Amino acid sequence: MNLDKKIKITDYITLIALVLTLIAAVFAFYFKNQQAILLNAQRQQDLLEIAKANESSALARRDSEKAKKDAATAFEKAASSNEKAAKAELKSKELEMELLQLRLAVSDRFLPDFVKESLTNKLKYYQGIRVLIICNISNNTEPMNFSIELKNFLIGIGWNTEVKNNQNVMIPPPTGIKIYTNGETNLTIAKLIKEEFANINYPCDIIKTNDFNESILIQVNSK
């Protein structure tokens, strides 16, 4: 192969190499440009997502603050309602007690529920007690009605209780309640009963006697 032909082949190879290099350069530039476009688009997408996240976070914070304020307002209203309800209940109980005191003062004698409950708690430790209730009947049935209620209550706590009539002939008729008792245990019981009667302003006297044993005598006179 002569020199001219070798030179021509070399030139062709060089030209082909230049063309391939140019093609590779163009492809590399295109690929780099596309990659830059994709990266920029991804960056814009990321920035958009970050912005949305920040907006959502800010909205969540506003909602949280609003929820806290709403909760505080609701709690304040509930506290105010509870306070009003407590005051109303207290006022109702005060009125109820005033009505009870008025009833105790002007109506026939009776045993209110709170007295029954208190007496039950105090007297439940004493079992097998015998009680005789003497009812002094004067010009009305009030003493007998109270005697029967007292008897039923004492029977209810397990005591052996009976009522006897005693037609009063004294003028003026005796008033109040008298408890005749003998022995320390019966005296203690009589004091407990007197305490409860005092809470409802029912006059009651305790009289120690040796006339009888193992029983308590309660004399119910006119109011």
Side-chain angles (χ1 to χ4, degrees):
M1 183 181 295
N2 59 28
L3 182 59
D4 291 336
K5 191 174 286 189
K6 288 182 178 179
I7 291 172
K8 191 177 289 187
I9 292 172
T10 302
D11 289 341
Y12 282 141
I13 293 173
T14 302
L15 181 60
I16 291 171
L18 288 173
V19 172
L20 291 174
T21 301
L22 180 61
I23 292 172
V26 171
F27 180 76
F29 176 78
Y30 176 78
F31 178 76
K32 186 176 181 179
N33 184 60
Q34 290 298 316
Q35 190 176 31
I37 292 173
L38 290 174
L39 289 174
N40 185 59
Q42 185 62 46
R43 188 179 296 110
Q44 293 299 324
Q45 184 66 28
D46 292 343
L47 290 174
L48 182 60
E49 292 296 331
I50 292 173
K52 288 182 178 179
N54 289 335
E55 184 179 359
S56 297
S57 177
L59 182 61
R61 283 196 298 271
R62 288 196 298 270
D63 290 342
S64 177
E65 291 299 323
K66 184 176 182 302
K68 289 180 181 178
K69 290 180 180 179
D70 291 344
T73 301
F75 179 79
E76 184 177 354
K77 289 181 179 179
S80 177
S81 297
N82 289 339
E83 183 180 1
K84 290 179 180 179
K87 289 182 178 179
E89 184 178 359
L90 179 60
K91 185 64 176 178
S92 176
K93 289 183 177 179
E94 290 176 351
L95 290 174
E96 184 179 345
M97 184 57 66
E98 289 177 4
L99 289 173
L100 177 60
Q101 294 297 333
L102 180 61
R103 181 184 173 193
L104 289 169
V106 302
S107 69
D108 292 348
R109 286 171 293 186
F110 69 100
L111 292 177
D113 289 339
F114 75 92
V115 171
K116 292 179 180 178
E117 181 179 358
S118 181
L119 277 174
T120 299
N121 291 333
K122 291 179 179 179
L123 302 180
K124 63 184 179 182
Y125 302 104
Y126 304 94
Q127 297 298 319
I129 303 299
R130 294 176 56 204
V131 178
L132 175 61
I133 301 175
I134 301 297
C135 176
N136 275 332
I137 299 177
S138 53
N139 57 352
N140 61 68
T141 60
E142 190 274 341
M144 176 56 73
N145 293 336
F146 182 67
S147 296
I148 293 174
E149 182 179 7
L150 182 58
K151 179 198 74 170
N152 292 336
F153 167 74
L154 295 177
I155 290 176
I157 63 173
W159 288 11
N160 184 1
T161 309
E162 61 176 319
V163 175
K164 289 187 177 180
N165 296 336
N166 183 30
Q167 189 67 39
N168 175 62
V169 295
M170 297 177 61
I171 299 177
T175 60
I177 300 169
K178 291 181 172 56
I179 302 178
Y180 296 85
T181 182
N182 183 25
E184 292 301 319
T185 299
N186 290 341
L187 180 60
T188 299
I189 293 172
K191 289 179 179 179
L192 293 174
I193 296 174
K194 180 179 179 178
E195 287 175 1
E196 292 303 320
F197 283 168
N199 290 334
I200 51 178
N201 296 321
Y202 288 174
C204 179
D205 296 322
I206 297 176
I207 301 172
K208 297 177 66 174
T209 179
N210 294 322
D211 292 344
F212 53 90
N213 295 317
E214 300 179 356
S215 64
I216 296 174
L217 188 148
I218 300 177
Q219 186 182 77
V220 178
N221 302 306
S222 297
K223 183 177 178 182

